[in-house]
Amino acid sequence: MPISAFREKGEVSYDVRGRTVKAPLFVQSFSGTSIPRIALPGFADPGERYRWLREENVPGRFPYTAGVYPLKRTGEEPTRMFAGEGGPARTNRRFRLLSENSEAKRLSTAFDSVTLYGCDPDERPDIFGKVGTSGVSVCTLDDVKVLYSGFDLCAPETSVSMTINGPAPIILAMFFNAAIDQQVEKAEHEKGRALTDDEKKAVKERVLSSVRGTVQADILKEDQGQNTCIFSIEFGLKMMADIQEYFIKNDVRNFYSVSVSGYHIAEAGANPITQLAFTLANGFTYVEYYLSCGMDIDDFAPNLSFFFSNGMDPEYTVIGRVARRIWAIAIRDCYGGNSRSQMLKYHVQTSGRSLHSREIQFNDIRTTLQALCAIYDNCNSLHTNAYDEAITTPSEESVRRALAIQQIINREWGLAKNENPCQGSFIVEELTRLVEEAVLSEFDRITARGGVLGAMERGYQRSRIQEESMRYEQMKHSGELPIVGVNTFLAPGVSDARDEVSCIKLSRATEQEKRSQVERLRAFKKRNEGKSAPALEELKQTALSGGNIFECLMETVRYCSLGQITETLYQVGGRYRRGM
């Protein structure tokens, strides 16, 4: 359709997996002005039009600079708030609070460090104090069922994200089984009888083809920035490929098998250009690895997603635009991927590193600006940090304010009625070109070191991140990087941030919650003690023979805990050891 036809029709129609969607192209302001949802250039010169179409184009059209879909999905705003604390029941209550007024239930799960390292809750001093702190404690299928109880995991409006990496295949298998069991119980209740094996198989097929969500599972950035690797990189990549092969075999089309994450690279200290370059390079490494396993680009590329941080630097304004354009061109021209494979979908979280304990109330202002930047750049999903995340897990009051930031932008802010406000700006276009050029130059430096894996062996990514982190801290300390209320425009009479935050209650898992998790684990093990050993042995033999580990895990998690499975896989894949 020519550009001019958009203005004339007043609506746009497009296909989503065989279904035609029609949407109006204009909305009415309070003053009665017809605000275009997509603003178009007024170029008369054919050369200018051609250049714009090649570099920008309308949202939903190659190279997807302005967005991968023509318009945002009706009834589903990009809001996806992160939550996790204590036991599964407590986090479930927080999920209900965050989603109670939203038609779409978009749940994002934070796990405690015990879970992130593939361990079970235990009374050991080095474990017990961490259970349910700064994330939810999950170690069995029972826990996952409680965590998401009350949410229809197969409803089109429900989408679940899980931020976990090393043990991601195990937790994902638990989640899929929880969704399958939920639908089996629902069907049995409706029929008033137990389902036959064939009926259960049909339910499983339907669940796998319809369940929506994301598991992070990005093992490369763990080595580079976050440090929750538990298996060797090679074994971690093998299990990631097994997940994707299982997705292809079982038609899992609505779930992302990996969220290639730059957020933790940025939080570790990287600047926005380094974050974007390392993240995209990691994404292309997964593409190459999956291709080497015999998978077709169009079978797995649509199951890849991305995750970025949005901070205060100018480059964050265009991080999504540059990522979408580089990805689309590379997938089309280097790998021959179709239009669905070319679409880079990404989640954004406002910068945790930009939050400060001094003048803590100013953090909401920073988060608002970062959220506005992300929404203007047409992110697909967004988490807004709470102001007190500088010192603790958010309270109900602070997370309500963080959620309101998105709600006010999406519902009240006038310019958000338009969905491509970044297009046509001289500075945005110049930033896009500058950042794109810088990212491609970083690709060359990584390639010269043997690609992503070769650079990792030399410690290249970690050293770059550490250098940039040190520079940030030095500039903050000297005042060269101004931070209002922290190193400039200080409040009179305030000399210690501790005075300001002393009234904030720190959020911690209770003794009762920790002991409850240990007791629930014991009950689970006792109930399955006759089945766990054979299941673990079968898992071990599958891994040794080179079979699909994830397919085996789909059965193993029914009888074995996270810690039991992790210890078994260590015997085959070994433990992670950092190269020095």
Side-chain angles (χ1 to χ4, degrees):
M1 181 186 297
I3 290 177
S4 58
F6 278 90
R7 287 198 181 97
E8 296 165 4
K9 285 175 65 68
E11 69 172 16
V12 64
S13 62
Y14 55 95
D15 291 334
V16 179
R17 298 186 186 177
R19 180 173 59 92
T20 300
V21 176
K22 292 186 177 181
L25 280 170
F26 296 90
V27 292
Q28 293 291 117
S29 72
F30 177 74
S31 303
T33 306
S34 291
I35 307 296
R37 296 177 70 183
I38 302 298
L40 300 173
F43 300 134
D45 180 73
E48 283 294 304
R49 286 191 177 191
Y50 180 68
R51 182 196 61 79
W52 187 83
L53 288 170
R54 281 181 59 88
E55 292 184 354
E56 294 278 340
N57 215 335
V58 294
R61 299 285 182 88
F62 185 88
Y64 307 104
T65 306
V68 294
Y69 299 116
L71 295 168
K72 291 177 182 176
R73 183 170 178 167
T74 304
E76 185 170 345
E77 291 166 347
T79 307
R80 186 191 293 277
M81 297 300 285
F82 203 33
E85 188 75 12
R90 179 172 165 186
T91 300
N92 179 266
R93 291 193 295 271
R94 177 60 63 90
F95 281 150
R96 292 170 187 264
L97 171 71
L98 292 170
S99 62
E100 63 181 347
N101 295 316
S102 300
E103 179 183 341
K105 310 300 181 184
R106 307 183 77 181
L107 316 177
S108 184
T109 315
F111 296 94
D112 68 1
S113 61
V114 179
T115 307
L116 292 176
Y117 282 98
C119 300
D120 284 339
D122 197 279
E123 292 175 334
R124 278 170 39 187
D126 61 327
I127 289 181
F128 189 74
K130 302 172 185 176
V131 174
T133 296
S134 299
V136 61
S137 172
V138 170
C139 64
T140 67
L141 176 57
D142 292 350
D143 287 342
V144 177
K145 290 180 178 180
V146 173
L147 181 61
Y148 302 115
S149 65
F151 295 96
D152 185 346
L153 298 179
C154 288
E157 300 81 18
T158 302
S159 176
V160 174
S161 172
M162 294 173 285
T163 301
I164 194 161
N165 294 278
I170 307 167
I171 297 297
L172 179 60
M174 290 179 183
F175 173 77
F176 280 171
N177 273 283
I180 292 165
D181 287 355
Q182 182 189 74
Q183 297 304 309
V184 167
E185 290 169 10
K186 182 179 178 181
E188 288 180 338
H189 178 74
E190 291 172 352
K191 293 178 180 293
R193 61 171 177 81
L195 297 187
T196 65
D197 289 343
D198 286 343
E199 287 174 325
K200 288 181 180 179
K201 183 179 178 182
V203 169
K204 179 180 178 180
E205 290 174 356
R206 177 172 58 81
V207 168
L208 292 175
S209 65
S210 61
V211 67
R212 292 179 64 208
T214 310
V215 63
Q216 195 163 102
D218 180 1
I219 205 64
L220 295 179
K221 65 90 182 171
E222 288 299 317
D223 177 270
Q224 297 165 17
Q226 197 181 22
N227 305 322
T228 60
C229 292
I230 60 174
F231 304 110
S232 68
I233 298 298
E234 294 78 9
F235 193 66
L237 286 169
K238 191 271 194 270
M239 287 198 290
M240 288 177 64
D242 286 351
I243 292 174
Q244 185 56 61
E245 285 181 342
Y246 183 89
F247 277 26
I248 294 169
K249 180 180 177 181
N250 292 275
D251 195 31
V252 182
R253 301 184 64 197
N254 300 313
F255 208 96
Y256 296 108
S257 66
V258 58
S259 176
V260 189
S261 176
Y263 183 85
H264 305 98
I265 292 172
E267 289 296 290
N271 68 40
I273 291 173
T274 300
Q275 176 201 182
L276 180 55
F278 284 3
T279 306
L280 286 175
N282 290 347
F284 289 123
T285 301
Y286 292 130
V287 169
E288 294 283 353
Y289 185 80
Y290 291 175
L291 288 171
S292 73
C293 294
M295 290 181 256
D296 184 85
I297 185 71
D298 293 329
D299 286 337
F300 68 80
N303 288 115
L304 305 180
S305 65
F306 288 79
F307 174 24
F308 298 117
S309 169
N310 246 29
M312 304 296 286
D313 300 292
E315 294 88 350
Y316 285 114
T317 305
V318 300
I319 202 167
R321 290 166 52 81
V322 174
R324 284 189 293 256
R325 188 151 81 192
I326 289 176
W327 184 261
I329 292 171
I331 294 297
R332 186 192 70 173
D333 296 348
C334 298
Y335 299 104
N338 63 23
S339 59
R340 192 159 171 256
S341 299
Q342 297 161 18
M343 297 179 182
L344 181 147
K345 281 86 71 177
Y346 73 100
H347 171 75
V348 167
Q349 183 171 339
T350 57
S351 172
R353 192 171 58 146
S354 70
L355 305 180
H356 302 278
S357 57
R358 174 170 284 176
E359 297 279 18
I360 196 168
Q361 68 275 14
F362 290 179
N363 288 334
D364 275 344
I365 301 171
R366 298 182 180 99
T367 295
T368 300
L369 294 170
Q370 293 162 8
L372 190 64
C373 182
I375 289 172
Y376 279 0
D377 202 12
N378 239 331
C379 69
N380 303 100
S381 178
L382 172 63
H383 165 88
T384 36
N385 288 329
Y387 70 89
D388 54 358
E389 284 188 62
I391 56 171
T392 186
T393 301
S395 65
E396 287 192 10
E397 180 269 339
S398 67
V399 81
R400 172 75 176 130
R401 288 173 60 171
L403 181 60
I405 289 171
Q406 293 197 54
Q407 293 169 333
I408 291 168
I409 293 173
N410 288 322
R411 303 295 179 91
E412 297 184 34
W413 182 243
L415 194 55
K417 297 180 187 300
N418 171 264
E419 297 186 20
N420 67 331
C422 288
Q423 288 192 301
S425 162
F426 296 141
I427 182 58
V428 169
E429 290 181 354
E430 181 64 15
L431 274 173
T432 302
R433 284 191 283 270
L434 290 171
V435 172
E436 183 177 30
E437 181 179 341
V439 168
L440 295 176
S441 295
E442 183 60 48
F443 284 177
D444 289 339
R445 287 189 284 273
I446 293 172
T447 301
R449 289 164 174 82
V452 166
L453 295 175
M456 284 166 58
E457 290 179 2
R458 292 163 173 80
Y460 173 69
Q461 291 94 333
R462 291 184 69 84
S463 64
R464 278 291 300 276
I465 292 168
Q466 289 165 1
E467 288 168 8
E468 290 170 7
S469 177
M470 184 64 71
R471 182 166 177 264
Y472 171 85
E473 294 300 328
Q474 289 170 342
M475 292 176 67
K476 184 172 74 170
H477 183 73
S478 68
E480 187 179 353
L481 179 68
I483 302 174
V484 175
V486 176
N487 61 14
T488 187
F489 295 103
L490 303 180
V494 177
S495 60
D496 195 332
R498 288 176 292 184
D499 298 335
E500 300 177 61
V501 302
S502 59
C503 59
I504 295 177
K505 182 180 179 181
L506 299 182
S507 177
R508 295 291 184 269
T510 65
E511 180 87 4
Q512 182 180 359
E513 286 176 317
K514 293 175 183 178
R515 296 214 173 275
S516 173
Q517 281 301 98
V518 173
E519 290 165 6
R520 284 165 53 83
L521 173 63
R522 286 173 181 160
F524 177 87
K525 287 182 175 179
K526 185 175 182 179
R527 190 172 75 241
N528 295 290
E529 59 185 354
K531 298 178 180 178
S532 60
L536 292 171
E537 181 60 28
E538 184 177 350
L539 175 64
K540 183 178 178 180
Q541 294 305 317
T542 298
L544 285 170
S545 65
N548 190 299
I549 296 172
F550 185 74
E551 189 166 10
C552 188
L553 281 173
M554 285 291 290
E555 188 67 20
T556 312
V557 296
R558 291 191 162 274
Y559 314 112
C560 306
S561 70
L562 173 63
Q564 289 176 313
I565 295 170
T566 302
E567 290 296 329
T568 299
L569 291 175
Y570 281 152
Q571 297 173 30
V572 180
R575 293 175 183 265
Y576 173 78
R577 293 288 185 272
R578 181 172 305 287
M580 300 301 291

